[in-house]
């Protein structure tokens, strides 16, 4: 069973969607913290990548929960 991602979860950017991010600045495989969720149906998961000093909005399908 796949659990929904929650604020505070450690996540990996693993499935880039070229339709919503044709010029993404976040490298695939980067690990960050889910810091905010929104009700927007497309880009609704805000992830902060402390090691990169970057933050970005993602679809849930672009992220993978890290344990």
């Amino acid at each position: 069973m796949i659990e929904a991602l929650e604020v505070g979860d450690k996540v990996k950017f693993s499935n880039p969607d070229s339709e919503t991010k044709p010029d993404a600045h976040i490298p695939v495989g980067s690990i960050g913290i889910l810091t905010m969720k929104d009700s927007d149906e497309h880009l609704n998961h805000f992830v902060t990548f402390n090691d990169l000093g970057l933050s970005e909005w993602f679809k849930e399908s672009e992220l993978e929960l890290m344990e």
Side-chain angles (χ1 to χ4, degrees):
M1 178 176 158
I2 297 174
E3 294 183 31
L5 299 176
E6 298 297 332
V7 171
D9 284 348
K10 188 177 188 180
V11 295
K12 178 168 69 171
F13 176 40
S14 59
N15 304 304
D17 184 331
S18 60
E19 186 176 306
T20 58
K21 281 189 213 50
D23 59 346
H25 302 296
I26 308 295
V28 173
S30 296
I31 296 173
I33 302 295
L34 179 59
T35 53
M36 187 172 22
K37 287 174 74 171
D38 188 80
S39 59
D40 184 287
E41 65 184 57
H42 297 289
L43 300 175
N44 54 11
H45 287 67
F46 192 72
V47 179
T48 300
F49 299 90
N50 290 330
D51 292 348
L52 301 173
L54 298 171
S55 299
E56 181 80 47
W57 284 99
F58 295 90
K59 290 181 180 180
E60 186 170 20
S61 62
E62 295 178 296
L63 302 171
E64 179 181 322
L65 180 64
M66 301 296 297
E67 301 222 5

